[in-house]
Amino acid sequence: MNPVPLIGALAATALAVGSLAVAHRLRPEVPAGEPHPEPHPTLGAIGSGLLSGFTLLTGFLIATGWAARSTGIVPPDGLYLADVAAGGAVLLYPALAGLPFTPRYVTAVCLFGLLVGYVMVTAVQLRP
């Protein structure tokens, strides 16, 4: 078994949860009894767009990386750099969108970070 995607998944989770913790620490405290402020509705569309772009780019890199073993045609390095940048943006998005640092959201961000990190590292490793 290849441990590199697992290490990438753990690193991505650490980045996502760490940024959520730092953002929580830097945000002003919510007065007792008041609900946490909701993110602006526009941020939902940005997150969906980021995730869609990351998914499409990573899927393309996985498919072409796998096919490159027989065709010899390898995607340019810039696409891999763009995939890592898109993955980083997707991982930092929950903190930038203002998600509160609660056990529910931390669990969701952890699971999301594991998935994003594993898939991103796998896409890079499939490159011949």
Side-chain angles (χ1 to χ4, degrees), residues 42-107:
T42 305
L43 290 174
I46 292 171
S48 299
L50 278 174
L51 188 57
S52 296
F54 171 74
T55 303
L56 288 172
L57 183 57
T58 304
F60 171 76
L61 291 177
I62 287 174
T64 56
W66 187 265
R69 299 187 184 281
S70 60
T71 63
I73 300 170
V74 180
D77 292 338
L79 287 179
Y80 289 95
L81 293 174
D83 187 47
V84 171
V90 165
L91 292 170
L92 294 175
Y93 177 76
L96 298 174
L99 251 55
F101 193 74
T102 62
R104 175 182 168 198
Y105 288 116
V106 169
T107 302

Short mmCIF file of all heavy atoms in Angstrom, two decimals, residues 42-107:
data_model
loop_
_atom_site.label_atom_id
_atom_site.label_comp_id
_atom_site.label_asym_id
_atom_site.label_seq_id
_atom_site.Cartn_x
_atom_site.Cartn_y
_atom_site.Cartn_z
N THR A 42 -23.46 35.04 -1.06
CA THR A 42 -22.60 34.96 -2.23
C THR A 42 -21.46 33.98 -2.02
O THR A 42 -20.99 33.35 -2.96
CB THR A 42 -22.02 36.36 -2.56
OG1 THR A 42 -23.10 37.27 -2.69
CG2 THR A 42 -21.20 36.33 -3.81
N LEU A 43 -21.01 33.82 -0.78
CA LEU A 43 -19.91 32.90 -0.51
C LEU A 43 -20.28 31.46 -0.83
O LEU A 43 -19.41 30.65 -1.14
CB LEU A 43 -19.47 33.03 0.94
CG LEU A 43 -18.75 34.32 1.29
CD1 LEU A 43 -18.49 34.40 2.79
CD2 LEU A 43 -17.46 34.44 0.52
N GLY A 44 -21.55 31.11 -0.77
CA GLY A 44 -21.98 29.76 -1.12
C GLY A 44 -21.71 29.47 -2.59
O GLY A 44 -21.26 28.37 -2.95
N ALA A 45 -21.96 30.43 -3.44
CA ALA A 45 -21.71 30.25 -4.87
C ALA A 45 -20.21 30.15 -5.16
O ALA A 45 -19.78 29.37 -6.01
CB ALA A 45 -22.32 31.40 -5.66
N ILE A 46 -19.42 30.90 -4.43
CA ILE A 46 -17.97 30.84 -4.63
C ILE A 46 -17.45 29.47 -4.22
O ILE A 46 -16.65 28.87 -4.95
CB ILE A 46 -17.27 31.96 -3.83
CG1 ILE A 46 -17.62 33.31 -4.41
CG2 ILE A 46 -15.76 31.75 -3.82
CD1 ILE A 46 -17.17 34.48 -3.57
N GLY A 47 -17.91 28.94 -3.10
CA GLY A 47 -17.48 27.61 -2.66
C GLY A 47 -17.87 26.53 -3.65
O GLY A 47 -17.09 25.63 -3.94
N SER A 48 -19.07 26.62 -4.18
CA SER A 48 -19.51 25.64 -5.18
C SER A 48 -18.66 25.71 -6.43
O SER A 48 -18.30 24.68 -7.01
CB SER A 48 -20.98 25.87 -5.54
OG SER A 48 -21.79 25.74 -4.42
N GLY A 49 -18.35 26.91 -6.86
CA GLY A 49 -17.51 27.07 -8.04
C GLY A 49 -16.10 26.55 -7.82
O GLY A 49 -15.53 25.89 -8.70
N LEU A 50 -15.54 26.84 -6.66
CA LEU A 50 -14.20 26.32 -6.34
C LEU A 50 -14.18 24.80 -6.33
O LEU A 50 -13.29 24.17 -6.90
CB LEU A 50 -13.76 26.82 -4.96
CG LEU A 50 -13.16 28.20 -4.85
CD1 LEU A 50 -12.94 28.54 -3.38
CD2 LEU A 50 -11.87 28.28 -5.60
N LEU A 51 -15.16 24.20 -5.69
CA LEU A 51 -15.21 22.76 -5.60
C LEU A 51 -15.44 22.12 -6.97
O LEU A 51 -14.82 21.11 -7.30
CB LEU A 51 -16.29 22.32 -4.61
CG LEU A 51 -16.33 20.84 -4.29
CD1 LEU A 51 -14.97 20.37 -3.74
CD2 LEU A 51 -17.41 20.56 -3.28
N SER A 52 -16.29 22.71 -7.77
CA SER A 52 -16.53 22.19 -9.12
C SER A 52 -15.27 22.25 -9.97
O SER A 52 -14.92 21.29 -10.66
CB SER A 52 -17.65 22.97 -9.81
OG SER A 52 -18.85 22.81 -9.14
N GLY A 53 -14.59 23.37 -9.91
CA GLY A 53 -13.35 23.51 -10.67
C GLY A 53 -12.29 22.53 -10.21
O GLY A 53 -11.60 21.90 -11.04
N PHE A 54 -12.15 22.37 -8.90
CA PHE A 54 -11.18 21.41 -8.37
C PHE A 54 -11.52 19.99 -8.80
O PHE A 54 -10.66 19.22 -9.21
CB PHE A 54 -11.12 21.50 -6.85
CG PHE A 54 -10.31 20.41 -6.21
CD1 PHE A 54 -8.93 20.43 -6.29
CD2 PHE A 54 -10.92 19.36 -5.56
CE1 PHE A 54 -8.18 19.42 -5.71
CE2 PHE A 54 -10.19 18.36 -4.98
CZ PHE A 54 -8.80 18.38 -5.06
N THR A 55 -12.79 19.64 -8.72
CA THR A 55 -13.22 18.29 -9.09
C THR A 55 -12.97 18.01 -10.57
O THR A 55 -12.45 16.94 -10.93
CB THR A 55 -14.72 18.10 -8.76
OG1 THR A 55 -14.91 18.36 -7.38
CG2 THR A 55 -15.19 16.71 -9.09
N LEU A 56 -13.32 18.95 -11.43
CA LEU A 56 -13.10 18.75 -12.86
C LEU A 56 -11.61 18.65 -13.20
O LEU A 56 -11.19 17.78 -13.96
CB LEU A 56 -13.75 19.88 -13.66
CG LEU A 56 -15.26 19.86 -13.72
CD1 LEU A 56 -15.78 21.13 -14.35
CD2 LEU A 56 -15.75 18.65 -14.50
N LEU A 57 -10.81 19.54 -12.64
CA LEU A 57 -9.38 19.52 -12.93
C LEU A 57 -8.71 18.26 -12.40
O LEU A 57 -7.91 17.63 -13.09
CB LEU A 57 -8.72 20.77 -12.33
CG LEU A 57 -7.23 20.95 -12.60
CD1 LEU A 57 -6.95 20.97 -14.10
CD2 LEU A 57 -6.74 22.24 -11.96
N THR A 58 -9.06 17.86 -11.19
CA THR A 58 -8.46 16.66 -10.61
C THR A 58 -8.89 15.41 -11.37
O THR A 58 -8.08 14.53 -11.64
CB THR A 58 -8.83 16.54 -9.13
OG1 THR A 58 -8.42 17.73 -8.46
CG2 THR A 58 -8.15 15.36 -8.48
N GLY A 59 -10.16 15.34 -11.75
CA GLY A 59 -10.63 14.20 -12.55
C GLY A 59 -9.91 14.12 -13.88
O GLY A 59 -9.54 13.03 -14.34
N PHE A 60 -9.69 15.28 -14.51
CA PHE A 60 -8.95 15.30 -15.76
C PHE A 60 -7.52 14.81 -15.56
O PHE A 60 -7.01 14.02 -16.35
CB PHE A 60 -8.95 16.73 -16.33
CG PHE A 60 -8.05 16.90 -17.50
CD1 PHE A 60 -8.42 16.43 -18.75
CD2 PHE A 60 -6.82 17.52 -17.37
CE1 PHE A 60 -7.58 16.58 -19.85
CE2 PHE A 60 -5.98 17.68 -18.44
CZ PHE A 60 -6.35 17.20 -19.70
N LEU A 61 -6.88 15.27 -14.50
CA LEU A 61 -5.49 14.86 -14.26
C LEU A 61 -5.39 13.37 -13.92
O LEU A 61 -4.42 12.71 -14.32
CB LEU A 61 -4.88 15.71 -13.15
CG LEU A 61 -4.64 17.17 -13.52
CD1 LEU A 61 -4.10 17.93 -12.32
CD2 LEU A 61 -3.71 17.30 -14.70
N ILE A 62 -6.36 12.85 -13.21
CA ILE A 62 -6.34 11.41 -12.90
C ILE A 62 -6.51 10.60 -14.18
O ILE A 62 -5.78 9.65 -14.44
CB ILE A 62 -7.42 11.07 -11.85
CG1 ILE A 62 -6.98 11.60 -10.49
CG2 ILE A 62 -7.67 9.57 -11.79
CD1 ILE A 62 -8.01 11.45 -9.41
N ALA A 63 -7.48 11.00 -15.00
CA ALA A 63 -7.74 10.25 -16.24
C ALA A 63 -6.55 10.34 -17.21
O ALA A 63 -6.12 9.33 -17.77
CB ALA A 63 -9.00 10.78 -16.91
N THR A 64 -6.00 11.54 -17.39
CA THR A 64 -4.88 11.66 -18.33
C THR A 64 -3.60 11.09 -17.75
O THR A 64 -2.77 10.58 -18.50
CB THR A 64 -4.66 13.14 -18.73
OG1 THR A 64 -4.48 13.93 -17.55
CG2 THR A 64 -5.82 13.66 -19.54
N GLY A 65 -3.43 11.15 -16.45
CA GLY A 65 -2.25 10.54 -15.84
C GLY A 65 -2.27 9.04 -16.00
O GLY A 65 -1.24 8.41 -16.27
N TRP A 66 -3.43 8.46 -15.85
CA TRP A 66 -3.57 7.01 -16.03
C TRP A 66 -3.35 6.65 -17.50
O TRP A 66 -2.65 5.70 -17.83
CB TRP A 66 -4.96 6.57 -15.57
CG TRP A 66 -5.13 5.10 -15.55
CD1 TRP A 66 -5.67 4.33 -16.54
CD2 TRP A 66 -4.74 4.21 -14.53
NE1 TRP A 66 -5.65 3.02 -16.17
CE2 TRP A 66 -5.08 2.92 -14.94
CE3 TRP A 66 -4.14 4.38 -13.28
CZ2 TRP A 66 -4.84 1.80 -14.16
CZ3 TRP A 66 -3.90 3.26 -12.51
CH2 TRP A 66 -4.25 1.99 -12.95
N ALA A 67 -3.95 7.43 -18.41
CA ALA A 67 -3.82 7.15 -19.84
C ALA A 67 -2.40 7.41 -20.34
O ALA A 67 -1.96 6.79 -21.31
CB ALA A 67 -4.82 8.00 -20.63
N ALA A 68 -1.67 8.31 -19.69
CA ALA A 68 -0.32 8.65 -20.13
C ALA A 68 0.63 7.48 -20.02
O ALA A 68 1.66 7.44 -20.68
CB ALA A 68 0.21 9.83 -19.33
N ARG A 69 0.29 6.51 -19.23
CA ARG A 69 1.15 5.33 -19.10
C ARG A 69 1.20 4.55 -20.41
O ARG A 69 2.19 3.89 -20.69
CB ARG A 69 0.67 4.46 -17.96
CG ARG A 69 0.73 5.21 -16.64
CD ARG A 69 0.43 4.34 -15.45
NE ARG A 69 0.42 5.12 -14.24
CZ ARG A 69 1.50 5.52 -13.58
NH1 ARG A 69 2.68 5.22 -14.03
NH2 ARG A 69 1.40 6.22 -12.48
N SER A 70 0.13 4.61 -21.20
CA SER A 70 0.14 3.90 -22.48
C SER A 70 0.34 4.83 -23.66
O SER A 70 0.89 4.43 -24.68
CB SER A 70 -1.16 3.10 -22.65
OG SER A 70 -2.26 3.97 -22.63
N THR A 71 -0.10 6.09 -23.55
CA THR A 71 0.02 7.01 -24.70
C THR A 71 1.30 7.83 -24.67
O THR A 71 1.76 8.27 -25.71
CB THR A 71 -1.16 7.98 -24.73
OG1 THR A 71 -1.13 8.79 -23.55
CG2 THR A 71 -2.48 7.25 -24.85
N GLY A 72 1.84 8.06 -23.48
CA GLY A 72 3.04 8.88 -23.36
C GLY A 72 2.76 10.37 -23.40
O GLY A 72 3.67 11.18 -23.33
N ILE A 73 1.50 10.78 -23.52
CA ILE A 73 1.13 12.19 -23.55
C ILE A 73 0.81 12.62 -22.12
O ILE A 73 -0.15 12.13 -21.52
CB ILE A 73 -0.07 12.44 -24.47
CG1 ILE A 73 0.27 12.00 -25.89
CG2 ILE A 73 -0.47 13.91 -24.44
CD1 ILE A 73 -0.92 11.97 -26.81
N VAL A 74 1.61 13.52 -21.59
CA VAL A 74 1.49 13.94 -20.19
C VAL A 74 0.97 15.38 -20.14
O VAL A 74 1.42 16.22 -20.91
CB VAL A 74 2.87 13.84 -19.49
CG1 VAL A 74 2.77 14.26 -18.05
CG2 VAL A 74 3.42 12.44 -19.61
N PRO A 75 0.01 15.66 -19.25
CA PRO A 75 -0.44 17.05 -19.11
C PRO A 75 0.70 17.96 -18.66
O PRO A 75 1.64 17.51 -18.00
CB PRO A 75 -1.52 16.97 -18.02
CG PRO A 75 -1.91 15.55 -17.93
CD PRO A 75 -0.72 14.76 -18.37
N PRO A 76 0.63 19.23 -19.00
CA PRO A 76 1.69 20.17 -18.59
C PRO A 76 1.77 20.32 -17.08
O PRO A 76 0.79 20.12 -16.36
CB PRO A 76 1.28 21.49 -19.24
CG PRO A 76 0.07 21.24 -20.04
CD PRO A 76 -0.40 19.86 -19.80
N ASP A 77 2.96 20.68 -16.61
CA ASP A 77 3.19 20.87 -15.18
C ASP A 77 2.27 21.93 -14.59
O ASP A 77 1.87 21.85 -13.43
CB ASP A 77 4.64 21.26 -14.90
CG ASP A 77 5.61 20.15 -15.21
OD1 ASP A 77 5.17 18.97 -15.22
OD2 ASP A 77 6.80 20.44 -15.44
N GLY A 78 1.94 22.93 -15.38
CA GLY A 78 1.09 24.01 -14.89
C GLY A 78 -0.28 23.53 -14.43
O GLY A 78 -0.86 24.11 -13.51
N LEU A 79 -0.79 22.49 -15.06
CA LEU A 79 -2.09 21.96 -14.63
C LEU A 79 -2.00 21.33 -13.24
O LEU A 79 -2.93 21.42 -12.45
CB LEU A 79 -2.62 20.95 -15.63
CG LEU A 79 -3.14 21.52 -16.95
CD1 LEU A 79 -3.62 20.41 -17.87
CD2 LEU A 79 -4.26 22.51 -16.69
N TYR A 80 -0.87 20.71 -12.96
CA TYR A 80 -0.69 20.12 -11.63
C TYR A 80 -0.55 21.22 -10.58
O TYR A 80 -1.08 21.09 -9.48
CB TYR A 80 0.51 19.17 -11.63
CG TYR A 80 0.24 17.92 -12.40
CD1 TYR A 80 0.61 17.80 -13.72
CD2 TYR A 80 -0.41 16.85 -11.81
CE1 TYR A 80 0.33 16.64 -14.45
CE2 TYR A 80 -0.69 15.69 -12.51
CZ TYR A 80 -0.31 15.60 -13.83
OH TYR A 80 -0.59 14.46 -14.54
N LEU A 81 0.16 22.28 -10.93
CA LEU A 81 0.27 23.41 -10.00
C LEU A 81 -1.09 24.07 -9.78
O LEU A 81 -1.44 24.44 -8.65
CB LEU A 81 1.27 24.44 -10.53
CG LEU A 81 2.72 23.98 -10.57
CD1 LEU A 81 3.59 25.02 -11.25
CD2 LEU A 81 3.22 23.70 -9.17
N ALA A 82 -1.89 24.18 -10.85
CA ALA A 82 -3.23 24.74 -10.72
C ALA A 82 -4.11 23.85 -9.85
O ALA A 82 -4.93 24.35 -9.07
CB ALA A 82 -3.86 24.92 -12.10
N ASP A 83 -3.93 22.54 -9.96
CA ASP A 83 -4.72 21.62 -9.14
C ASP A 83 -4.36 21.76 -7.67
O ASP A 83 -5.25 21.77 -6.81
CB ASP A 83 -4.49 20.18 -9.61
CG ASP A 83 -5.41 19.20 -8.92
OD1 ASP A 83 -6.62 19.49 -8.84
OD2 ASP A 83 -4.93 18.15 -8.47
N VAL A 84 -3.09 21.88 -7.37
CA VAL A 84 -2.67 22.07 -5.97
C VAL A 84 -3.18 23.41 -5.44
O VAL A 84 -3.66 23.50 -4.30
CB VAL A 84 -1.14 21.95 -5.85
CG1 VAL A 84 -0.66 22.35 -4.47
CG2 VAL A 84 -0.70 20.52 -6.17
N ALA A 85 -3.13 24.45 -6.27
CA ALA A 85 -3.65 25.76 -5.85
C ALA A 85 -5.16 25.70 -5.63
O ALA A 85 -5.67 26.25 -4.64
CB ALA A 85 -3.31 26.82 -6.89
N ALA A 86 -5.89 25.03 -6.52
CA ALA A 86 -7.34 24.90 -6.36
C ALA A 86 -7.66 24.07 -5.13
O ALA A 86 -8.59 24.40 -4.38
CB ALA A 86 -7.95 24.26 -7.61
N GLY A 87 -6.89 23.02 -4.89
CA GLY A 87 -7.10 22.21 -3.68
C GLY A 87 -6.85 23.02 -2.42
O GLY A 87 -7.59 22.92 -1.44
N GLY A 88 -5.81 23.84 -2.43
CA GLY A 88 -5.54 24.72 -1.28
C GLY A 88 -6.66 25.71 -1.05
O GLY A 88 -7.07 25.96 0.09
N ALA A 89 -7.18 26.28 -2.14
CA ALA A 89 -8.28 27.23 -2.00
C ALA A 89 -9.53 26.56 -1.45
O ALA A 89 -10.23 27.11 -0.60
CB ALA A 89 -8.59 27.87 -3.36
N VAL A 90 -9.78 25.33 -1.91
CA VAL A 90 -10.95 24.58 -1.42
C VAL A 90 -10.78 24.26 0.07
O VAL A 90 -11.75 24.31 0.84
CB VAL A 90 -11.14 23.30 -2.26
CG1 VAL A 90 -12.07 22.32 -1.59
CG2 VAL A 90 -11.66 23.65 -3.64
N LEU A 91 -9.57 23.96 0.49
CA LEU A 91 -9.32 23.63 1.89
C LEU A 91 -9.40 24.85 2.80
O LEU A 91 -9.81 24.76 3.95
CB LEU A 91 -7.97 22.95 2.05
CG LEU A 91 -7.86 21.55 1.44
CD1 LEU A 91 -6.42 21.08 1.45
CD2 LEU A 91 -8.76 20.58 2.17
N LEU A 92 -9.00 26.01 2.29
CA LEU A 92 -9.04 27.24 3.09
C LEU A 92 -10.41 27.90 3.08
O LEU A 92 -10.70 28.74 3.94
CB LEU A 92 -7.99 28.23 2.57
CG LEU A 92 -6.54 27.83 2.74
CD1 LEU A 92 -5.63 28.85 2.07
CD2 LEU A 92 -6.19 27.67 4.20
N TYR A 93 -11.24 27.52 2.14
CA TYR A 93 -12.55 28.18 1.99
C TYR A 93 -13.42 28.15 3.24
O TYR A 93 -14.01 29.16 3.59
CB TYR A 93 -13.30 27.59 0.79
CG TYR A 93 -14.66 28.18 0.65
CD1 TYR A 93 -14.82 29.47 0.13
CD2 TYR A 93 -15.79 27.51 1.08
CE1 TYR A 93 -16.07 30.04 0.03
CE2 TYR A 93 -17.04 28.07 0.98
CZ TYR A 93 -17.18 29.34 0.45
OH TYR A 93 -18.41 29.91 0.37
N PRO A 94 -13.55 27.01 3.95
CA PRO A 94 -14.41 27.03 5.14
C PRO A 94 -13.99 28.08 6.17
O PRO A 94 -14.84 28.73 6.78
CB PRO A 94 -14.28 25.62 5.72
CG PRO A 94 -13.93 24.77 4.55
CD PRO A 94 -13.07 25.65 3.67
N ALA A 95 -12.70 28.29 6.34
CA ALA A 95 -12.23 29.30 7.29
C ALA A 95 -12.54 30.70 6.78
O ALA A 95 -12.96 31.57 7.54
CB ALA A 95 -10.74 29.14 7.54
N LEU A 96 -12.34 30.91 5.49
CA LEU A 96 -12.59 32.23 4.92
C LEU A 96 -14.08 32.56 4.85
O LEU A 96 -14.46 33.72 4.89
CB LEU A 96 -11.97 32.33 3.52
CG LEU A 96 -10.45 32.18 3.47
CD1 LEU A 96 -9.96 32.15 2.04
CD2 LEU A 96 -9.79 33.30 4.25
N ALA A 97 -14.91 31.52 4.76
CA ALA A 97 -16.36 31.74 4.68
C ALA A 97 -16.96 32.02 6.05
O ALA A 97 -18.13 32.37 6.15
CB ALA A 97 -17.04 30.52 4.05
N GLY A 98 -16.20 31.82 7.11
CA GLY A 98 -16.68 32.15 8.44
C GLY A 98 -17.37 31.02 9.17
O GLY A 98 -18.19 31.28 10.05
N LEU A 99 -17.07 29.78 8.82
CA LEU A 99 -17.66 28.66 9.56
C LEU A 99 -17.21 28.73 11.00
O LEU A 99 -16.04 28.98 11.28
CB LEU A 99 -17.20 27.33 8.95
CG LEU A 99 -18.22 26.51 8.19
CD1 LEU A 99 -18.87 27.32 7.10
CD2 LEU A 99 -17.62 25.26 7.68
N PRO A 100 -18.11 28.50 11.93
CA PRO A 100 -17.71 28.52 13.34
C PRO A 100 -16.90 27.28 13.69
O PRO A 100 -17.01 26.25 13.05
CB PRO A 100 -19.04 28.55 14.09
CG PRO A 100 -20.06 28.09 13.13
CD PRO A 100 -19.55 28.34 11.77
N PHE A 101 -16.08 27.40 14.70
CA PHE A 101 -15.22 26.30 15.15
C PHE A 101 -15.99 25.49 16.19
O PHE A 101 -15.76 25.60 17.39
CB PHE A 101 -13.92 26.86 15.73
CG PHE A 101 -12.85 25.83 15.92
CD1 PHE A 101 -12.18 25.32 14.85
CD2 PHE A 101 -12.54 25.38 17.18
CE1 PHE A 101 -11.19 24.37 15.01
CE2 PHE A 101 -11.55 24.43 17.37
CZ PHE A 101 -10.87 23.92 16.28
N THR A 102 -16.92 24.68 15.70
CA THR A 102 -17.71 23.81 16.57
C THR A 102 -17.39 22.37 16.20
O THR A 102 -16.89 22.10 15.10
CB THR A 102 -19.22 24.07 16.38
OG1 THR A 102 -19.56 23.76 15.02
CG2 THR A 102 -19.59 25.51 16.69
N PRO A 103 -17.65 21.43 17.10
CA PRO A 103 -17.34 20.02 16.78
C PRO A 103 -18.00 19.54 15.48
O PRO A 103 -17.40 18.78 14.72
CB PRO A 103 -17.87 19.26 17.99
CG PRO A 103 -17.83 20.23 19.11
CD PRO A 103 -18.11 21.57 18.48
N ARG A 104 -19.20 20.00 15.22
CA ARG A 104 -19.90 19.59 14.00
C ARG A 104 -19.15 20.04 12.75
O ARG A 104 -18.91 19.26 11.83
CB ARG A 104 -21.30 20.19 14.02
CG ARG A 104 -22.08 19.96 12.78
CD ARG A 104 -23.43 20.63 12.90
NE ARG A 104 -24.09 20.67 11.62
CZ ARG A 104 -25.08 21.46 11.33
NH1 ARG A 104 -25.57 22.27 12.24
NH2 ARG A 104 -25.64 21.43 10.15
N TYR A 105 -18.76 21.30 12.71
CA TYR A 105 -18.06 21.81 11.54
C TYR A 105 -16.63 21.29 11.46
O TYR A 105 -16.11 21.07 10.37
CB TYR A 105 -18.09 23.34 11.52
CG TYR A 105 -19.46 23.89 11.20
CD1 TYR A 105 -20.16 24.64 12.13
CD2 TYR A 105 -20.05 23.64 9.98
CE1 TYR A 105 -21.41 25.14 11.85
CE2 TYR A 105 -21.30 24.14 9.68
CZ TYR A 105 -21.98 24.88 10.61
OH TYR A 105 -23.22 25.35 10.31
N VAL A 106 -15.99 21.11 12.58
CA VAL A 106 -14.62 20.56 12.56
C VAL A 106 -14.64 19.15 12.00
O VAL A 106 -13.78 18.78 11.20
CB VAL A 106 -13.99 20.61 13.97
CG1 VAL A 106 -12.71 19.81 14.03
CG2 VAL A 106 -13.74 22.04 14.39
N THR A 107 -15.63 18.35 12.39
CA THR A 107 -15.74 16.99 11.85
C THR A 107 -15.97 17.03 10.34
O THR A 107 -15.33 16.29 9.58
CB THR A 107 -16.90 16.24 12.54
OG1 THR A 107 -16.65 16.21 13.94
CG2 THR A 107 -17.02 14.83 12.01
#
